[in-house]
Amino acid sequence: MWIGWIELDVLLGDVHSLKGKRSVVRPIISDVRRKYSVSVAEVDAQDLYRRSVIGAGLVAGSRAHAVEVLDAVEQFVAYRPELELLTARRRIVTSDDA
C-alpha cells in the first residue's frame, strides 16, 4: 500500500476578500476531488485572502499510480488561470515505512 500527498501553495489573482477567496478555492477543491478521486482540502493560510495551501492525499496499490495521480493534480491546479502555483511539496510512503 502506498500513501501519497501533495501540498500546493497558491497565490490567488484578483481576490480582495475572504468571500472572494472562497469563490475561487471551493470550485478548485471540488473539481480536484471529482476528477481525481482524492481527498482534498484547504489546509493552511485560511485567514489570508490572496494565499491558499491546498492539500490532496490518496492511497494507491502502486507507487507509479500514486505518482501519476499527484502529477495530474499538480498540473490541473498549475494551469488554472485564476491563480499562480508558488510551490508544490509532495511525499509518497509505503505502509512498510511505519
Side-chain angles (χ1 to χ4, degrees):
M1 176 172 65
W2 292 87
I3 302 109
W5 64 91
I6 189 165
E7 289 181 348
L8 304 163
D9 187 4
V10 297
L11 178 65
L12 304 174
D14 191 30
V15 175
H16 302 289
S17 68
L18 291 175
K19 185 176 179 180
K21 175 185 180 176
R22 281 193 308 274
S23 71
V24 172
V25 173
R26 280 187 181 170
I28 293 170
I29 289 172
S30 177
D31 291 348
V32 168
R33 181 178 293 123
R34 184 178 57 253
K35 187 168 182 163
Y36 300 105
S37 297
V38 295
S39 296
V40 61
E42 183 178 15
V43 296
D44 198 4
Q46 289 95 341
D47 57 341
L48 302 174
Y49 66 88
R50 294 222 42 230
R51 292 285 291 272
S52 181
V53 179
I54 299 170
L58 75 146
V59 175
S62 70
R63 185 180 195 287
H65 179 67
V67 168
E68 180 183 326
V69 172
L70 294 179
D71 284 345
V73 169
E74 181 178 350
Q75 286 182 347
F76 180 79
V77 172
Y79 291 123
R80 298 294 288 236
E82 65 270 22
L83 56 84
E84 177 185 349
L85 179 61
L86 300 175
T87 61
R89 295 175 299 280
R90 68 171 66 193
R91 180 124 190 242
I92 301 173
V93 297
T94 180
S95 58
D96 297 332
D97 290 346

